[in-house]
Amino acid sequence: MQSQAPSIQQLVNSGAVWRGVNSEALFKSSEYPPVSTGLKELDAYLSAGSQLPGGWQWGRMHEVQCPHWFMGEVHLLHAALRLAAAEQAPVFWVAPPAIPYAHTLSRLTGTGAEHIHVRATKSQEALWATESILDAGCARVVCLWANELSQTDSRKLHLAIQRKRTLGFVFTQTLSAEARSFATRIRLPQPHLQEPCKLLKRQGGWPVTLSQWPYLRQLS
Amino acid sequence: MRWFYLYFPSLQLDQMLVQMQVGQEPSAGGQEPSAGAEKTATGSLAGRSGAIVLYDPKQQTVTQVSGLARTAGIREGMALSDCWLLCEDLAAFPYRASMQRQVLYQTTRLLYRYVALICPDHPHGLWLEASSMRRLYSSEEHLLSCIDEQLGQHGIHYRSAISRSSLAAQIHARTGTSSANQVPVKALPCSPRLIQKMERMGVKTIADALKIPRSALGGKLGKEIVQVLAEYQGHRVLPMACFQPPTVFYQRLVLLADVHDWQGLRFPMKRLLNDLAAFLELRQQQTQRLQISLSHRDAPPTRLTIGMAHGCWRADDFMHLCQLKMENYELKAPVTDMSLYTRELSGRNLAEADLWNHSKHRAMPSETSLGQLLNQLQLRLGEAQVRGIQVVHHWVPEQSWEYTAGAAHIAPTPLMGRPFWVLENPELAQPEQWTLVAGPERIESGWWSGETTCRDYYKAVNREGASGWLFYDRLAQKWWLHGWFS
């Protein structure tokens, strides 16, 4: 019997065990299934159960920690962007490090989506804009690039996105494991430190390490 | 034709009383009081603040009298000094002809919803043509009750009379009479000399004048009285200018006291915005620009413009935008009066009002629409900071996309293999820091217009492993970074 304990832990870690605390997520997933991250392994870790589809949960903020920008982090959004285009819903890009190229967006998602670029000179402006967009509830995908997001700020975003059919993403270069109100926290690999991609926080499971981050490997 | 004449004995004063009531009602909380409450509150305010009159600043005579002042014995035309003797706590404000004109104009606009043919009679009255509205209203009383309700909601006192002659309606409404034998001849719009002549002849009332054969009267007193009596009997029509609904919205509100901050301006602003919303609602139009002018006592007026990428027509939306604009704005001087102006009107976007396109993907009723959201963001951050992204069919990459003022569905493109990110302005690149992995894609354009572009685009990887979009400018012989694959 003692030898089975680690295997249950392993099941919990892999997200195969459904826990009662996830009832709300399960309810939401039955109405609006999560959106794929583009990585099967990551989808499986972000699933509420082995039989359920996994991915980004609606009405939650998801953090992507990037040691450097342009490391393939946008690949995680592809499915969400396609969905927004299919639903002819707006996508907001708040304070990104460059301009999303219209031709690539059109090629990637088709012609349905409305992409809105928000330039903010101060981090507080970007935060206010994101909070307003989330509060409005009309956006399908909201992406914020911010390096100075306090616990209070993340809590504000969490409260604003609750019960909205919106996917919220925060991209940051701050590699911190300090507690934040994000449903998912993923840290992309450091290119030269041979560090793997880590899932720092997820619902219903312990932190795990992803076996690969394919986008960077393809490029290097 | 049947003419209603509405005579407003205290129009300017009525508006001031309503304004005082709205401004002094602390529990209003941004909500307009109901019609009944407004009427009651107006009365109680008058009770609290005592008798109020408006006076002519030049002649120092009373022009408009509140109910309580009338009870104290004050009448129009009395010298202001006599009024103080009659009522100790009398509040007197100067009568302003321009404001009277403005309020009459607003009242005309208000009643245009009920009657098609309205002729303002400056400065105290309005003619309404009733016979053309028979198919809409069951009776003249029905029409009058609709007008009464509307004027009651705005706290406007009036006297009315109806006649087939516009002049008769005017005279009876002004004098508060119903028949010609009650009206003295001096009420007729004749020269004082003619009136004097008639009174000497023993013609005291209009009925007396009507009894005399017209030819005899004309022979004795001249053509003027014949024409006036013909107008009174409806045989001749008064020259009148019909009201044309305005194509722009302009409204001015004089504040009763100097206002030092935005909180004090909220109530009058809400009143103006409600009127604007009603104006737009009637026309089924929207606006994309508001111009607010705040006048100061000793400084040039402050002019504020609120631009909206997406048109608005609801008072709450306007108020929210004004709130955003004003909460970080510091008034440079106390405000004495404010005005609201808009002329950029356009038809509403019917797609947003489509009842049947209410799928789960669309904004739910409780959600803010995309247009409203963009307006709010642009107002706070600046119009240039919040823009849509759109495809442009052009060979040169920096000209192959553009910002749009509002959101727009992205257009299809034939281009493939382009990066996800593009830099607004290419940055000079150090070639030794990059490893070329794909390319080149040669772009040559603009040779026909003198703006020649000769570039070879490559995909290259830097030391961090990030993949950039570089080009070699063959004319300048330099490497540039133009975007990032991600």
Side-chain angles (χ1 to χ4, degrees):
Chain A
M1 290 298 287
Q2 284 182 349
S3 63
Q4 287 182 357
S7 65
I8 290 172
Q9 192 59 51
Q10 282 171 358
L11 287 172
V12 170
N13 286 351
S14 65
V17 176
W18 176 78
R19 299 193 293 183
V21 291
N22 282 347
S23 57
E24 192 192 354
L26 182 67
F27 170 75
K28 290 181 86 70
S29 66
S30 63
E31 193 180 359
Y32 300 117
V35 179
S36 171
T37 62
L39 291 172
K40 282 186 181 174
E41 187 185 10
L42 187 55
D43 283 350
Y45 284 133
L46 295 179
S47 167
S50 59
Q51 301 301 315
L52 295 170
W56 306 120
Q57 295 284 342
W58 293 99
R60 295 282 186 272
M61 291 303 299
H62 309 282
E63 186 196 49
V64 181
Q65 296 183 358
C66 313
H68 303 278
W69 299 137
F70 316 119
M71 293 290 181
E73 61 272 20
V74 180
H75 281 88
L76 296 170
L77 303 178
H78 282 189
L81 296 178
R82 284 194 199 99
L83 187 91
E87 296 185 359
Q88 301 200 334
V91 177
F92 280 84
W93 306 86
V94 184
I99 315 293
Y101 194 30
H103 288 273
T104 309
L105 289 174
S106 173
R107 202 78 204 172
L108 179 71
T109 66
T111 57
E114 297 165 310
H115 294 271
I116 295 124
H117 177 252
V118 180
R119 191 196 306 270
T121 47
K122 296 173 189 166
S123 58
Q124 281 308 308
E125 281 184 353
L127 181 71
W128 174 85
T130 309
E131 206 181 332
S132 303
I133 296 162
L134 295 176
D135 254 337
C138 57
R140 197 61 74 237
V141 180
V142 181
C143 304
L144 165 69
W145 277 259
N147 286 331
E148 300 164 4
L149 216 57
S150 69
Q151 199 166 5
T152 317
D153 297 339
S154 66
R155 179 79 186 152
K156 278 183 186 173
L157 297 179
H158 171 71
L159 291 174
I161 201 172
Q162 270 186 330
R163 292 185 292 282
K164 306 279 177 11
R165 191 159 178 262
T166 305
L167 287 171
F169 296 94
V170 172
F171 295 91
T172 180
Q173 286 182 321
T174 310
L175 309 181
S176 162
E178 203 179 320
R180 289 285 185 274
S181 305
F182 299 121
T184 314
R185 303 184 78 184
I186 182 168
R187 182 181 292 174
L188 302 193
Q190 296 255 32
H192 297 298
L193 297 180
Q194 303 294 319
E195 273 191 356
C197 184
K198 291 178 183 172
L199 190 54
L200 301 174
K201 184 182 176 186
R202 60 182 171 130
Q203 287 188 324
W206 297 105
V208 289
T209 301
L210 271 67
S211 61
Q212 59 169 345
W213 177 250
Y215 309 117
L216 196 60
R217 199 174 60 183
Q218 281 177 3
L219 302 176
S220 57
Chain B
M1 292 178 110
R2 298 278 291 170
W3 292 97
F4 266 119
Y5 188 88
L6 304 183
Y7 175 67
F8 306 108
S10 54
L11 191 61
Q12 197 176 135
L13 186 60
D14 290 341
Q15 204 218 19
M16 287 173 68
L17 285 169
V18 170
Q19 204 179 327
M20 283 163 80
Q21 180 260 316
V22 171
Q24 288 181 4
E25 191 62 62
S27 62
Q31 291 183 342
E32 280 291 310
S34 65
E38 195 169 81
K39 271 187 158 178
T40 316
T42 305
S44 64
L45 173 82
R48 278 202 308 273
S49 56
I52 304 174
V53 295
L54 296 188
Y55 65 94
D56 185 336
K58 283 184 184 170
Q59 298 182 355
Q60 293 287 306
T61 54
V62 172
T63 55
Q64 295 185 12
V65 184
S66 73
L68 207 67
R70 194 173 293 280
T71 313
I74 299 172
R75 296 288 180 272
E76 290 87 352
M78 286 176 76
L80 192 59
S81 53
D82 296 344
C83 299
W84 295 115
L85 297 174
L86 289 169
C87 184
E88 280 184 0
D89 60 345
L90 182 73
F93 296 93
Y95 169 84
R96 296 186 195 181
S98 61
M99 188 181 167
Q100 175 80 13
R101 199 175 182 85
Q102 177 72 17
V103 181
L104 184 68
Y105 177 72
Q106 287 168 22
T107 311
T108 311
R109 236 173 39 194
L110 189 74
L111 296 180
Y112 190 67
R113 295 167 66 178
Y114 299 94
V115 185
L117 185 58
I118 300 187
C119 305
D121 180 27
H122 293 286
H124 295 296
L126 289 177
W127 278 290
L128 314 174
E129 207 288 307
S131 57
S132 60
M133 308 305 290
R134 272 184 200 143
R135 295 178 72 177
L136 198 60
Y137 300 97
S138 55
S139 62
E140 287 170 349
E141 288 73 28
H142 181 205
L143 171 60
L144 193 59
S145 70
C146 292
I147 292 168
D148 183 66
E149 187 185 348
Q150 193 64 28
L151 293 176
Q153 281 181 15
H154 287 75
I156 298 171
H157 295 92
Y158 70 99
R159 288 201 297 266
S160 68
I162 186 163
S163 170
R164 65 190 180 90
S165 155
S166 52
L167 180 62
Q170 183 196 42
I171 289 172
H172 290 301
R174 281 186 174 175
T175 54
T177 56
S178 57
S179 66
N181 55 14
Q182 295 174 322
V183 187
V185 284
K186 66 180 178 186
L188 287 170
C190 299
S191 61
R193 197 175 164 188
L194 183 60
I195 298 288
Q196 201 177 20
K197 274 185 184 178
M198 283 195 284
E199 285 175 344
R200 281 181 187 165
M201 282 170 64
V203 179
K204 301 293 180 194
T205 64
I206 295 178
D208 295 340
L210 290 173
K211 284 175 194 164
I212 303 170
R214 202 64 50 88
S215 55
L217 198 65
K220 185 80 176 169
L221 298 174
K223 201 167 72 174
E224 185 186 354
I225 185 65
V226 177
Q227 285 179 347
V228 169
L229 289 177
E231 283 167 1
Y232 181 83
Q233 291 186 307
H235 300 147
R236 194 167 178 272
V237 181
L238 275 180
M240 289 186 285
C242 294
F243 172 73
Q244 295 290 328
T247 53
V248 299
F249 179 89
Y250 172 77
Q251 199 155 310
R252 182 164 170 254
L253 208 56
V254 179
L255 305 174
L256 297 174
D258 290 4
V259 176
H260 296 78
D261 57 7
W262 164 240
Q263 286 307 315
L265 290 175
R266 284 184 72 235
F267 288 112
M269 177 60 84
K270 191 165 176 59
R271 187 180 160 90
L272 288 178
L273 293 175
N274 277 334
D275 289 346
L276 172 63
F279 173 88
L280 295 172
E281 185 65 28
L282 281 176
R283 288 158 182 75
Q284 287 294 294
Q285 286 185 315
Q286 61 181 14
T287 184
Q288 290 182 282
R289 193 165 294 273
L290 293 183
Q291 288 176 14
I292 300 166
S293 178
L294 306 173
S295 301
H296 310 290
R297 207 167 285 282
D298 299 316
T302 305
R303 297 186 200 284
L304 302 166
T305 301
I306 296 178
M308 293 156 267
H310 292 260
C312 280
W313 63 86
R314 296 187 188 94
D316 287 346
D317 296 342
F318 288 132
M319 193 64 199
H320 190 67
L321 295 174
C322 289
Q323 180 78 29
L324 275 176
K325 180 88 177 177
M326 297 300 294
E327 64 189 10
N328 293 327
Y329 187 86
E330 197 173 335
L331 294 175
K332 60 183 179 185
V335 180
T336 55
D337 64 81
M338 63 194 298
S339 66
L340 185 65
Y341 174 70
T342 181
R343 65 183 176 89
E344 291 174 29
L345 307 178
S346 59
R348 293 181 183 177
N349 185 359
L350 295 177
E352 285 186 12
D354 188 353
L355 274 175
W356 310 111
N357 193 19
H358 198 66
S359 69
K360 64 179 181 179
H361 307 318
R362 286 274 153 202
M364 300 303 285
S366 59
E367 294 173 347
T368 310
S369 76
L370 179 61
Q372 291 169 333
L373 173 64
L374 291 180
N375 286 341
Q376 291 167 18
L377 294 175
Q378 288 182 341
L379 196 66
R380 176 78 175 259
L381 303 176
E383 284 181 39
Q385 307 293 87
V386 183
R387 291 178 288 185
I389 300 168
Q390 187 54 280
V391 164
V392 176
H393 295 291
H394 198 286
W395 288 113
V396 181
E398 57 262 43
Q399 294 174 41
S400 66
W401 65 278
E402 65 176 3
Y403 286 123
T404 56
H409 294 296
I410 206 154
T413 177
L415 290 181
M416 293 174 70
R418 292 295 166 96
F420 193 91
W421 300 106
V422 67
L423 303 179
E424 274 194 283
N425 299 305
E427 295 171 2
L428 207 57
Q430 302 298 326
E432 62 274 10
Q433 294 177 355
W434 295 88
T435 307
L436 303 182
V437 293
E441 177 192 0
R442 178 157 294 182
I443 294 176
E444 288 197 11
S445 180
W447 45 266
W448 55 86
S449 61
E451 295 177 5
T452 311
T453 303
C454 296
R455 297 176 182 174
D456 286 341
Y457 274 87
Y458 294 87
K459 191 174 183 179
V461 179
N462 68 4
R463 290 172 182 170
E464 280 77 35
S467 183
W469 196 40
L470 269 69
F471 71 85
Y472 180 69
D473 187 336
R474 290 190 292 119
L475 295 177
Q477 299 194 336
K478 285 182 180 170
W479 285 91
W480 298 84
L481 173 66
H482 201 169
W484 295 92
F485 293 85
S486 178

